[in-house]
């Protein structure tokens, strides 16, 4: 770890990638002071095809170190007008309000994104979390739909995780995705009309929206950057963790820690971006179908994002606080939700009492996290520190 103390600042300046055996660094450990706060050097996450399981020896597992986090426990939200911990008061997320014509939406109907369609599930409802609603009624040739975005726009490489339960109503698209622009986008999309209980078929569409898709009339399914995977369960019956690992030149998709698919190549984004949760319908029978026969709710329990910032200011903050990477608690291991164990989904770093300053963490009782500033843009610069155990 002492080796890392000299290397990591250099990486931030050069935006290079380091691959080293962790066993090699163990011999370089030196006695260092205690960390001033937990996680001051970042968050170590498993990445790639070899997440922990009985068939993957620990020496084959790969890890990446990320410097920043956003954690949102939506189960603690209350509906508007019922307390202070509302989604409107959340400092990490912004509900969206805009209209798309049928031509822009590329469907039979346009889409009307409205903030009232994003709210905490009511107290009388079984599912606690953030609810994104698609309305059954069409208004002025538009379907009322829902979207919420992270305020931060500087997510450059990272692991992004969301616990979600899909709607039972046919005719909507539920989406969890990372976005920079229409040619740099990483999607997990769930079409409720395609869920079929009769044969236990529950597909999820893994998509890179790329220049190739734009040239194909925005038909990503006709490109090499599209994977249709199948879930081993009914996603409308319970919550599961869906995950995207965005890494240089490759993207991995998972559910409950199990690999669903991988996409590599030039279509993988190379910019910083942000996260979006979306629930929509436009009547296009080739994709969302709909609108639904009844109001349809898509519920999200949490989002956890561990990533590197493209902002030079954030990189300097990390470099200044990460003085002793070998100190106990300086690097925090991100617990993985696994097919046989979902308890890690209940773990949040933001609930630890000694978290490092200058991290972006929303707390219902404290509001804005230390070090937050409204972003006006970003610098395309990032770093991933890789480990091979």
């Amino acid at each position: 770890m002492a080796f890392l103390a000299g290397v990591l600042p250099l990486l931030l300046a050069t935006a290079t990638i380091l691959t080293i055996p962790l066993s090699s660094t163990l011999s370089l450990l030196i006695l260092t002071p205690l960390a001033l706060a937990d996680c001051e050097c970042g968050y170590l996450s498993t990445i790639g095809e070899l997440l922990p399981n009985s068939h993957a020896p620990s020496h084959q597992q790969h890890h990446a170190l990320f410097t920043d986090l956003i954690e949102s426990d939506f189960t603690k939200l209350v509906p508007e007008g019922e307390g202070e911990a509302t989604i409107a008061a959340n400092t990490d997320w912004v509900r969206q309000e805009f209209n798309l014509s049928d031509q822009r939406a590329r469907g039979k109907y346009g889409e009307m994104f409205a903030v009232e369609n994003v709210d905490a599930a009511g107290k009388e409802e079984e599912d606690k979390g953030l609810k994104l609603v698609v309305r059954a009624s069409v208004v002025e040739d538009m379907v009322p739909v829902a979207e919420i975005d992270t305020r931060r726009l500087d997510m450059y490489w990272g692991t992004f995780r969301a616990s979600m339960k899909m709607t039972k109503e046919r005719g909507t698209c539920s989406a969890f995705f990372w976005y920079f622009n229409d040619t740099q986008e990483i999607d997990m999309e769930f079409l409720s009309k395609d869920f079929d209980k009769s044969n236990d078929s529950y597909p999820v569409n893994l998509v890179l929206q790329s220049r190739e898709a734009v040239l194909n009339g925005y038909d990503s399914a006709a490109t090499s950057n599209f994977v249709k995977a199948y879930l081993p369960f009914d996603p409308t019956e319970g919550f599961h963790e869906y995950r995207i690992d965005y890494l240089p030149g490759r993207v991995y998709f998972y559910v409950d820690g199990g690999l669903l698919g991988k996409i590599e190549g030039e279509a993988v984004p190379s910019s910083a971006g942000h996260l979006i949760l979306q629930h929509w319908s436009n009547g296009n029978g080739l994709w969302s179908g709909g609108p639904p026969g009844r109001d349809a709710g898509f519920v999200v329990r949490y989002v956890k994002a561990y990533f590197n910032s493209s902002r030079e200011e954030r990189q300097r903050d990390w470099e200044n606080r990460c003085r002793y990477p070998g100190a106990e608690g300086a690097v925090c291991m991100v617990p993985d939700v696994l097919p046989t164990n979902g308890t890690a989904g209940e773990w949040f770093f933001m609930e630890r009492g000694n978290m490092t300053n200058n991290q972006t963490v929303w707390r219902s009782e404290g509001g804005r996290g230390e070090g937050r500033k409204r972003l006006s843009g970003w610098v395309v610069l990032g770093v991933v520190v890789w480990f091979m155990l």
Side-chain angles (χ1 to χ4, degrees):
M1 288 297 184
F3 170 76
L4 293 181
V7 171
L8 293 181
L10 177 63
L11 287 173
L12 284 173
T14 60
T16 57
I17 298 172
L18 173 68
T19 303
I20 56 174
L22 188 57
S23 58
S24 298
T25 68
L26 295 178
S27 62
L28 297 172
L29 282 173
I30 62 173
L31 185 63
T32 59
L34 293 175
L36 296 177
D38 292 337
C39 315
E40 62 188 15
C41 287
Y43 309 89
L44 194 65
S45 171
T46 55
I47 52 93
E49 299 179 57
L50 296 172
L51 293 185
N53 62 71
S54 59
H55 304 293
S58 60
H59 68 274
Q60 292 182 353
Q61 293 166 13
H62 291 69
H63 293 75
L65 180 67
F66 300 111
T67 62
D68 286 52
L69 85 164
I70 292 175
E71 292 183 326
S72 301
D73 182 0
F74 293 132
T75 65
K76 295 181 179 179
L77 292 175
V78 298
E80 294 293 325
E82 296 186 16
E84 295 183 359
T86 65
I87 190 58
N90 189 295
T91 58
D92 285 330
W93 295 87
V94 181
R95 295 178 295 175
Q96 301 299 303
E97 185 156 0
F98 61 93
N99 294 339
L100 294 177
S101 67
D102 56 354
Q103 184 176 6
R104 287 283 308 282
R106 298 188 292 277
K108 180 179 179 181
Y109 302 102
E111 297 168 17
M112 180 184 292
F113 290 86
V115 295
E116 60 265 26
N117 294 334
V118 183
D119 201 354
K123 292 180 181 178
E124 74 283 357
E125 298 184 56
E126 178 182 352
D127 300 330
K128 292 296 183 182
L130 184 68
K131 191 171 186 178
L132 289 82
V133 177
V134 173
R135 304 294 177 186
S137 57
V138 175
V139 178
E140 298 178 358
D141 290 325
M142 293 180 287
V143 182
V145 296
E147 177 180 321
I148 189 167
D149 300 14
T150 57
R151 287 186 186 273
R152 290 188 66 167
L153 308 174
D154 60 328
M155 298 181 182
Y156 196 22
W157 320 130
T159 177
F160 311 119
R161 310 164 185 213
S163 176
M164 306 185 294
K165 181 179 179 181
M166 308 307 154
T167 182
K168 294 178 181 290
E169 302 299 326
R170 296 174 62 84
T172 76
C173 176
S174 302
F176 171 50
F177 59 107
W178 175 99
Y179 182 84
F180 172 69
N181 62 24
D182 288 346
T183 63
Q184 295 196 64
E185 181 179 337
I186 305 169
D187 295 347
M188 298 185 79
E189 298 193 45
F190 307 80
L191 307 179
S192 59
K193 70 177 178 58
D194 291 346
F195 298 155
D196 191 343
K197 280 184 175 291
S198 68
N199 62 2
D200 289 328
S201 178
Y202 304 104
V204 51
N205 300 287
L206 315 176
V207 186
L208 296 190
Q209 298 289 356
S210 62
R211 190 170 300 278
E212 183 183 0
V214 173
L215 295 175
N216 252 347
Y218 293 93
D219 183 7
S220 57
T223 73
S224 58
N225 305 305
F226 176 90
V227 175
K228 177 168 282 191
Y230 289 85
L231 302 170
F233 50 77
D234 182 346
T236 72
E237 292 294 338
F239 288 89
H240 296 270
E241 185 184 87
Y242 301 89
R243 171 176 165 184
I244 298 168
D245 284 1
Y246 165 38
L247 305 168
R250 49 192 154 158
V251 177
Y252 297 93
F253 301 88
Y254 316 82
V255 63
D256 295 334
L259 186 67
L260 285 171
K262 174 178 69 173
I263 302 178
E264 300 178 287
E266 295 181 357
V268 174
S270 57
S271 299
H274 63 288
L275 294 180
I276 298 177
L277 294 164
Q278 196 177 76
H279 195 197
W280 60 273
S281 177
N282 62 8
N284 185 335
L286 298 178
W287 198 250
S288 72
R294 297 187 299 178
D295 289 355
F298 156 49
V299 183
V300 184
R301 273 188 175 166
Y302 65 74
V303 173
K304 301 178 181 182
Y306 309 96
F307 58 96
N308 294 312
S309 173
S310 62
R311 295 179 63 211
E312 291 181 343
E313 177 187 355
R314 294 294 301 168
Q315 293 169 8
R316 286 194 300 269
D317 289 341
W318 175 84
E319 185 176 353
N320 288 335
R321 71 175 180 264
C322 182
R323 297 307 180 98
Y324 305 107
E328 183 177 356
V331 173
C332 293
M333 189 73 195
V334 178
D336 284 320
V337 169
L338 300 174
T340 56
N341 183 6
T343 57
E346 301 170 8
W347 169 267
F348 294 88
F349 286 108
M350 65 181 180
E351 295 177 351
R352 295 173 67 153
N354 191 38
M355 280 292 291
T356 184
N357 289 336
N358 207 22
Q359 289 292 289
T360 303
V361 177
W362 176 80
R363 298 180 178 87
S364 60
E365 72 276 11
R368 193 175 297 270
E370 289 193 50
R372 157 135 1 241
K373 292 185 178 180
R374 184 67 181 266
L375 301 176
S376 59
W378 56 79
V379 178
V380 180
L381 178 66
V383 54
V384 177
V385 182
W386 295 67
F387 296 91
M388 291 191 301
L389 292 184

